[in-house]
């Protein structure tokens, strides 16, 4: 149940686009089904396209049918759809915002209550500035307690552009009103990292350089760039995934215990991690970062085109679709423990996981014959698609001789809770409605994560790759990614949940 039940209006700028249809409205619909939305609630869609309310609603219903974890059923959809309206509008024109102010105040009259206002920027980066300037001019976010702005990624293209975007936003609004989305933070398993680490007494004492050998974070995608080639070709894997999602996971794995769960306390502890990441000197980029781009190849029995032949991508594109990095966090807890990060498109599986590998036992007392299949202890945190945690350890094999075998202790969300996890956007939208910024990126966090990757971005921009494409679709990235970790005497753990 909604905790505050405050009358709420969500205005979506760019409501005719994909994000609204695929993510935002399916999430709001699920919140509605579970009774999380306030009784007085409205979704106001704005976009350039001419559409009436009915056309807009049926487009959204299609989105729910196609993309929601629960399909639209006639009665509940009808009740939900009554909360939705649409207006065709030029988002760069001040008159749009004067009309919006009127619409919002009409709701207040109808409800006989002052609603809180959430403004969602589901638009491309070029519209962020005009929309926020107009919102400011129309005084639509004057009430700091009751108006919030939600900003989607990409948040900037590099450190300088992220800084100027932050300056522009914080010049017009208070930082507490700005909700920068990183949807990975809304995933159940990502949030569970905090519960796992800080609600249990047994892991924290061994969560440091004395017991942990290294950490791997893999976010593997089978999809290519689909219809987003135009955007992606100017971004690449480092900007699209590592700067935000993977570095956020790193923060949750490496952060110090928070004193409380207050939003700023958690965000302070995360930003401390980013500040502690060892800066990468330009001359070391080649030893710490690998880039790749997929060529033609086979995946799930189908032949897939090379990245350079995807729609919206330049035929001679230098954009990376795969990136692997080795980072160090320079503090007492993590000194000299490598964190290996990798992500890519058109990899053999769809799966994201964190693998924490522990140091070997200090003394091996078993005979060599007993430990033929000896593996290090590992903690495998599966983020998706199957959500769960696996502890990999040694056990004695049944039989008269002493022989050891690795076995797994497994927890899966599905088995433990017998209920489907909410989508990340459900969690995040409810947090915006309730004014909880814990899972959103603060200005300094965004800038700190850009700072981590800037040396790599700059070096890669200055030196064109000579070997692109360098991995066939359906393989684990370029051979150099294996070398990156093999030169330290280690190897990548491929995502699988031990099925
Ligand atoms: C987005 C990226 O932020 O995350 C996409 O822009 C990527 O390129 C997507 O495909 C992956 O998200 P998820 O939730 O499917 O792992």
């Amino acid at each position: 149940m909604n905790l505050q039940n405050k009358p709420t209006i969500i205005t979506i700028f760019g409501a005719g686009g994909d994000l609204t249809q695929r993510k935002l409205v399916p999430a709001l619909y699920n919140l509605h089904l579970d009774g999380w939305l306030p009784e007085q609630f409205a979704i106001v869609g704005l976009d350039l396209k001419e559409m009436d309310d009915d056309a807009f609603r049926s487009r959204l219903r299609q989105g729910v049918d196609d993309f929601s974890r629960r399909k639209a059923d006639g009665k509940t959809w009808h009740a939900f759809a009554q909360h939705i309206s649409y207006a065709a509008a030029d988002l760069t024109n001040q008159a749009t915002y004067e009309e919006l102010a009127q619409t919002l105040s009409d709701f207040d009259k109808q409800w006989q209550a002052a609603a809180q206002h959430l403004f969602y920027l589901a638009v491309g980066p070029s519209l962020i500035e005009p929309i926020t300037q107009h919102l400011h001019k129309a005084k639509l976010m004057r009430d700091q307690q009751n108006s919030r702005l939600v900003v989607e990624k990409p948040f900037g293209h590099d450190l300088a552009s992220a800084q100027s975007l932050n300056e522009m936003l914080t010049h017009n609004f208070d930082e507490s009103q700005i909700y920068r989305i990183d949807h990975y933070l809304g995933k159940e398993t990502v949030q569970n990292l905090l519960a796992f680490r800080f609600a249990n007494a047994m892991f924290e004492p061994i969560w440091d350089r004395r017991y942990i050998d290294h950490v791997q974070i893999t976010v593997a995608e089978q999809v290519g760039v689909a219809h987003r080639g135009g955007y992606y070709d100017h971004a690449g894997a480092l900007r699209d995934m590592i700067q935000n999602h993977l570095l956020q996971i790193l923060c949750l794995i490496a952060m110090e215990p928070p004193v409380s769960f207050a939003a700023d306390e958690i965000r302070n502890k995360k930003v401390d991690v980013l500040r502690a990441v060892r800066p990468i000197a330009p001359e070391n980029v080649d030893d710490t970062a690998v880039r790749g781009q997929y060529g033609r190849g086979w995946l799930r029995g189908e032949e897939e085109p090379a990245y350079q032949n995807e729609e919206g991508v330049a035929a001679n594109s230098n954009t990376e679709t795969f990136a692997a990095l080795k980072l160090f966090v320079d503090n007492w807890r993590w000194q000299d423990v490598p964190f290996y990060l990798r992500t890519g498109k058109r990899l053999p599986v769809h799966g994201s996981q964190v693998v924490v590998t522990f140091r070997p036992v200090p003394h091996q007392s078993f005979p060599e014959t007993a430990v033929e299949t000896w593996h290090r202890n590992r903690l495998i945190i599966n983020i998706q698609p199957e959500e769960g945690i696996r502890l990999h350890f040694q056990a004695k094999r049944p039989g008269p001789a002493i022989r050891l075998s690795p076995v797994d202790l497994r927890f899966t969300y599905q088995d433990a809770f017998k209920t489907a996890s909410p989508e990340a956007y459900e969690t995040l939208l409810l947090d915006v409605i309730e004014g909880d910024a814990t899972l959103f990126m603060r200005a300094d966090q965004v800038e700190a994560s850009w700072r981590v990757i800037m040396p790599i971005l700059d070096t890669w921009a200055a030196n064109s790759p000579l070997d692109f494409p360098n991995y066939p679709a359906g393989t684990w990235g370029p051979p150099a990614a294996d070398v990156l970790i093999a030169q330290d005497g280690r190897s990548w753990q491929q995502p699988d949940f031990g099925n």
Side-chain angles (χ1 to χ4, degrees):
M1 272 299 133
N2 180 261
L3 303 178
Q4 296 168 353
N5 204 21
K6 268 195 185 168
T8 302
I9 306 169
I10 301 191
T11 302
I12 305 177
F13 298 99
D18 261 15
L19 184 73
T20 309
Q21 198 201 22
R22 284 170 177 254
K23 297 285 184 191
L24 304 185
V25 169
L28 290 167
Y29 178 63
N30 279 296
L31 289 174
H32 167 78
L33 290 183
D34 292 336
W36 286 106
L37 295 181
E39 279 151 37
Q40 290 167 321
F41 177 74
I43 301 171
V44 176
L46 296 180
D47 211 330
L48 257 189
K49 290 176 204 163
E50 286 294 340
M51 246 189 296
D52 60 15
D53 287 350
D54 282 343
F56 184 55
R57 288 170 184 166
S58 69
R59 180 182 150 77
L60 299 181
R61 180 177 181 151
Q62 189 61 51
V64 169
D65 283 338
D66 292 349
F67 305 111
S68 163
R69 65 190 171 95
R70 286 177 293 197
K71 308 288 157 238
D73 88 80
K75 214 164 140 204
T76 47
W77 172 260
H78 183 73
F80 175 70
Q82 299 315 303
H83 298 271
I84 304 176
S85 61
Y86 178 83
D90 176 357
L91 303 180
T92 60
N93 184 343
Q94 187 63 22
T96 296
Y97 299 81
E98 308 300 342
E99 278 161 33
L100 176 61
Q102 188 56 49
T103 307
L104 300 182
S105 96
D106 289 347
F107 275 109
D108 284 0
K109 280 191 207 122
Q110 187 191 326
W111 291 342
Q112 297 185 341
Q116 59 172 357
H117 298 150
L118 317 179
F119 300 102
Y120 203 112
L121 301 183
V123 293
S126 61
L127 278 172
I128 297 181
E129 177 155 8
I131 294 175
T132 48
Q133 302 286 19
H134 287 304
L135 278 173
H136 176 66
K137 228 165 130 197
K139 302 195 172 52
L140 280 166
M141 289 196 39
R142 205 171 28 176
D143 178 352
Q144 288 188 11
Q145 295 300 319
N146 290 309
S147 54
R148 293 170 207 126
L149 183 75
V150 187
V151 189
E152 270 289 336
K153 69 176 276 261
F155 197 88
H157 188 70
D158 53 17
L159 178 60
S161 56
Q163 281 170 327
S164 60
L165 190 51
N166 276 333
E167 253 165 52
M168 194 268 295
L169 291 174
T170 49
H171 178 73
N172 290 329
F173 315 118
D174 190 72
E175 173 65 31
S176 65
Q177 296 177 279
I178 305 166
Y179 284 63
R180 299 173 191 80
I181 286 222
D182 180 327
H183 78 279
Y184 264 61
L185 296 179
K187 291 185 190 274
E188 284 289 320
T189 346
V190 173
Q191 289 179 69
N192 191 45
L193 289 172
L194 288 175
F196 178 79
R197 287 193 55 203
F198 304 126
N200 296 300
M202 63 191 168
F203 299 108
E204 210 42 33
I206 54 168
W207 208 252
D208 63 29
R209 63 191 304 272
R210 288 171 304 161
Y211 296 98
I212 291 179
D213 177 77
H214 75 282
V215 177
Q216 297 184 17
I217 302 173
T218 297
V219 177
E221 296 190 276
Q222 287 182 316
V223 291
V225 287
H227 53 287
R228 293 166 73 234
Y231 146 76
Y232 192 90
D233 209 31
H234 294 101
L238 204 53
R239 288 188 173 91
D240 185 53
M241 297 294 285
I242 296 207
Q243 184 270 338
N244 34 68
H245 309 325
L246 279 88
L247 285 181
Q248 282 303 307
I249 297 173
L250 167 74
C251 287
L252 291 167
I253 295 288
M255 69 191 262
E256 293 301 314
V259 174
S260 72
F261 263 65
D264 270 334
E265 170 63 4
I266 306 258
R267 301 198 289 183
N268 289 343
K269 292 289 190 295
K270 291 200 318 187
V271 103
D272 282 348
V273 175
L274 295 170
R275 291 208 185 103
V277 172
R278 187 179 301 167
I280 302 166
E283 62 275 16
N284 292 338
V285 166
D286 285 350
D287 298 330
T288 46
V290 168
R291 57 183 153 170
Q293 186 192 79
Y294 61 82
R296 201 154 51 91
W298 290 83
L299 194 59
R300 292 168 293 192
E302 307 243 323
E303 190 167 24
E304 301 292 355
Y307 173 72
Q308 294 176 348
N309 295 329
E310 300 271 20
E311 178 196 326
V313 171
N316 57 352
S317 173
N318 278 335
T319 302
E320 80 284 355
T321 59
F322 175 98
L325 256 63
K326 176 164 79 166
L327 298 177
F328 289 97
V329 177
D330 281 342
N331 59 20
W332 274 51
R333 188 189 282 265
W334 295 116
Q335 194 64 45
D336 295 332
V337 175
F339 287 81
Y340 300 98
L341 277 53
R342 69 177 167 160
T343 184
K345 298 219 181 265
R346 292 269 192 247
L347 300 187
V349 300
H350 162 60
S352 305
Q353 70 175 24
V354 178
V355 181
V356 178
T357 301
F358 291 87
R359 289 187 183 280
V361 290
H363 168 65
Q364 186 55 274
S365 35
F366 294 96
E368 257 174 47
T369 48
V371 293
E372 272 162 11
T373 52
W374 185 82
H375 284 186
R376 300 262 185 111
N377 291 151
R378 281 199 191 100
L379 182 74
I380 297 144
I381 302 168
N382 229 56
I383 292 170
Q384 60 187 21
E386 199 174 337
E387 304 169 310
I389 293 177
R390 183 153 61 103
L391 190 60
H392 192 64
F393 63 103
Q394 304 302 313
K396 181 189 168 303
R397 236 190 261 171
I402 294 259
R403 309 243 335 250
L404 302 181
S405 260
V407 290
D408 284 342
L409 206 58
R410 283 158 53 104
F411 145 75
T412 71
Y413 272 72
Q414 193 50 45
D415 293 347
F417 298 116
K418 311 261 181 292
T419 167
S421 296
E423 287 280 331
Y425 274 93
E426 293 172 44
T427 307
L428 296 173
L429 281 165
L430 188 59
D431 282 354
V432 182
I433 293 171
E434 292 186 343
D436 180 351
T438 313
L439 299 179
F440 295 82
M441 309 279 288
R442 212 171 47 191
D444 55 344
Q445 266 180 297
V446 174
E447 292 177 18
S449 52
W450 276 116
R451 231 169 247 121
V452 169
I453 64 161
M454 278 321 292
I456 310 174
L457 281 177
D458 288 341
T459 307
W460 284 359
N463 304 290
S464 302
L466 301 174
D467 59 347
F468 274 9
N470 59 0
Y471 70 98
T475 65
W476 279 107
D482 294 327
V483 176
L484 177 79
I485 189 163
Q487 68 197 2
D488 298 338
R490 303 184 175 102
S491 59
W492 292 108
Q493 300 298 310
Q494 310 305 23
D496 86 273
F497 206 56
N499 294 316

